[in-house]
Amino acid sequence: MNDTFLKACRGEEVEYTPIWLMRQAGRYLPEYQAVRANIDFLALCKNPELAAQVTLQPVDILGVDAAILFSDILIPLEPMGMRLEFSEKEGPVLSEPVRSKSAVERLIIPDVEEDAVFVFDTIRLLRRELENKVPLIGFSGAPFTLATYMIEGGSSKNFLHTKKLMFQYDTIFGYLMEKLTDTVISYLSAQIKAGAQAVQLFDTWAGILSPVDYKTFVLPYVRKVVSELKKEGVPIIYFVNNCAGLLKEVKKSGADVTGIDWRIDMSEAIRTLGKKMVVQGNLDPCALFLPKEVLEQRVKDILWKGESAKGHIFNLGHGVLPQTPVENVIALVEAVHTFGRKDKS
Ligand code: CP3
C-alpha cells in the first residue's frame, strides 16, 4: 500500500510529502457532475455504490495519496431527529432549528450503526475497491460546527443565534454540545471499525470565536472526542478553518495532525504549534487559478516551510472550489510529488 500519508500522520520518515485535498470529490470534476445529474446530493451520500464511485474519482484522476469518504458533515443530524435538506441555492437547510431546552431534550443520541448504515457500507465497499492502493479517511463535523448548523438552521453570516445560546444559556448550549460529542464519538468509532484508516474532524466555524470562548465552549468537547477516539488507534486530524487566532488553544486538542487554513503563514503556524506537531495544509484554494509556474512557487514555499514540523501533509487551506480547472488540480498534485521528494540534494 502507498502508506506515505499514514506515515506522515504519525510523524514517521517519508520519501515525499503526501497530498490529498479537502473536497477532492465534487463539482469541479465532470465525472462527479455526470453522476450528480441523475441523483440529488443527499441520495448520493446514502447510496453506497455511487458514493464509493465518486470517492474513487479523484484517486484515479489526480493521483492523491489518500481517499476521503464521500459524504457530508451534516449526515448525523438526521439520525439525531432533525430534518435536513440541501437546496441548490442556500446549501443545507435544517427546518426546525434547535434554540431551546426542549428542542435539545428532543434530540436523540442515535444508534449510528443502524441509522447511518449506508456510511459504514460505503466504507466497507471502498476498502474492498481500494485494495489498499491508498488509505481511506473518514470524517465528521466537530461538535461546535454541527451545533452552529443545528442552531442557525443552516449556514450563517454572523452566528447570532449560536452566540446568543452560548452566552445567555450556557447550560442549554453545554447540553447540546454533550449530545453532539457523544454522537460524534460513536459515529467516528463506527467509521474506524468499518475500515476508515484515519479520521478528520472538521471545525469549519470554530474560527468565528474569540480565543477565550473557543477555550471555554469548544475545546473541552474536542478534547473528549479526540481522547475517546485515540483508543481506536488510527490518526486523528483536527481542522479549524480560520485558525490563526486560536492556534495556542487548538494545539491542546490532542489530535495527531493539525489542519491549517491559508490565512496564516505555515512557518508561523508551526512556531506556535511546536515542532512536535504534524501539520496539514495550507495552500489558498484560489491559488489553483494561477498559471502553473506561479502555483509551483507557492507549492515550493509551503513544502519548504512544512519541513520544520514533525511531519507535513500537503492540502489546501479549505475545500476545492467548484470552478477550479481540473488540469490545475492535477498539476498541483504533480508539483507536490516532484518538489516534495526528500532525496533531493
Ligand atoms: O472532501 C471531500 O471530497 C469529501 C466530501 C465532503 C463534502 N462535504 C461533500 C459535499 C466533505 C468532507 C464535506 C464536509 C462539509 N460539508 C463541511 C466541512 C468542510 C468545509 O467545507 O468546511 C461543511 C461545512 C459541509 C456542509 C455543506 N455541505 C455545505 C455548506 C454545502 C453547500 C455548499 C457547497 O459547497 O455546495 C454542502 C454540500 C456538499 N458537500 C457538496 C459536496 C460535494 C455539494 C453538493 C452538490 O453536489 O451539489
Side-chain angles (χ1 to χ4, degrees):
M1 173 168 70
N2 171 0
D3 61 353
T4 316
F5 163 75
L6 292 176
K7 279 185 172 162
C9 286
R10 295 190 293 254
E12 294 168 13
E13 225 170 280
V14 284
E15 284 173 23
Y16 63 90
T17 304
I19 173 171
W20 69 277
L21 304 169
M22 291 188 272
R23 292 285 180 99
Q24 65 188 21
R27 284 167 299 185
Y28 76 102
L29 286 175
E31 292 83 352
Y32 171 80
Q33 284 167 2
V35 175
R36 250 297 258 125
N38 307 311
I39 189 165
D40 79 64
F41 174 64
L42 257 187
L44 174 53
C45 291
K46 292 177 184 177
N47 180 318
E49 280 77 25
L50 291 178
Q53 185 184 333
V54 296
T55 301
L56 295 174
Q57 286 173 349
V59 178
D60 298 331
I61 297 164
L62 309 175
V64 283
D65 297 291
I68 179 161
L69 167 73
F70 187 84
S71 185
D72 197 85
I73 60 163
L74 302 178
I75 291 294
L77 304 194
E78 270 189 332
M80 290 185 83
M82 297 199 73
R83 239 189 297 151
L84 171 66
E85 274 171 282
F86 281 87
S87 101
E88 292 295 332
K89 276 208 189 106
E90 296 168 64
V93 181
L94 295 138
S95 47
E96 288 155 36
V98 175
R99 294 178 190 163
S100 65
K101 187 166 175 234
S102 59
V104 177
E105 276 168 351
R106 277 198 299 276
L107 291 171
I108 303 155
I109 297 177
D111 175 352
V112 284
E113 306 238 15
E114 200 166 294
D115 299 345
V117 67
F118 52 88
V119 170
F120 314 111
D121 286 342
T122 307
I123 292 175
R124 285 185 279 264
L125 187 58
L126 274 167
R127 283 299 305 275
R128 283 203 298 280
E129 292 184 352
L130 276 165
E131 295 177 317
N132 280 337
K133 205 157 75 181
V134 292
L136 176 64
I137 305 170
F139 70 89
S140 170
F144 177 73
T145 290
L146 294 178
T148 66
Y149 282 100
M150 284 184 151
I151 300 166
E152 302 294 334
S155 300
S156 171
K157 237 185 184 154
N158 50 26
F159 297 90
L160 181 59
H161 294 294
T162 305
K163 291 189 183 180
K164 263 186 171 170
L165 193 72
M166 195 164 133
F167 295 162
Q168 292 174 7
Y169 304 97
D170 56 344
T171 323
I172 302 174
F173 181 81
Y175 186 27
L176 172 61
M177 288 293 280
E178 276 167 25
K179 282 194 158 179
L180 281 166
T181 300
D182 288 348
T183 303
V184 169
I185 292 168
S186 63
Y187 185 53
L188 284 176
S189 303
Q191 288 189 29
I192 296 166
K193 287 197 178 80
Q197 290 150 292
V199 290
Q200 174 155 321
L201 262 182
F202 284 92
D203 228 344
T204 304
W205 297 119
I208 61 157
L209 297 175
S210 69
V212 67
D213 288 328
Y214 175 83
K215 186 178 173 178
T216 312
F217 296 107
V218 178
L219 184 63
Y221 304 95
V222 172
R223 283 175 58 86
K224 178 153 185 220
V225 172
V226 172
S227 73
E228 287 296 318
L229 290 174
K230 279 260 158 110
K231 299 172 191 163
E232 307 286 344
V234 309
I236 303 160
I237 308 167
Y238 180 48
F239 168 71
V240 175
N241 187 30
N242 241 321
C243 67
L246 303 176
L247 269 187
K248 273 193 202 135
E249 298 303 325
V250 167
K251 182 181 173 180
K252 300 175 194 160
S253 74
D256 302 282
V257 181
T258 303
I260 309 291
D261 69 275
W262 73 90
R263 300 168 189 86
I264 179 168
D265 187 83
M266 190 51 115
S267 298
E268 196 188 329
I270 295 166
R271 264 199 304 280
T272 307
L273 291 169
K275 293 184 173 191
K276 287 187 192 146
M277 182 63 86
V278 177
V279 292
Q280 176 175 281
N282 77 337
L283 184 76
D284 185 336
C286 292
L288 283 169
F289 295 82
L290 288 167
K292 198 174 166 196
E293 301 70 41
V294 194
L295 171 63
E296 284 181 356
Q297 279 311 318
R298 289 189 178 229
V299 167
K300 284 184 193 169
D301 181 63
I302 292 170
L303 284 169
W304 181 76
K305 287 171 177 164
E307 288 288 323
S308 63
K310 185 178 163 198
H312 177 211
I313 297 144
F314 203 101
N315 206 316
L316 300 177
H318 204 174
V320 182
L321 296 168
Q323 302 85 349
T324 310
V326 180
E327 61 271 23
N328 294 15
V329 189
I330 295 172
L332 167 66
V333 175
E334 276 174 9
V336 172
H337 283 161
T338 305
F339 303 121
R341 292 212 75 82
K342 308 293 174 187
D343 53 6
K344 60 188 182 290
S345 48

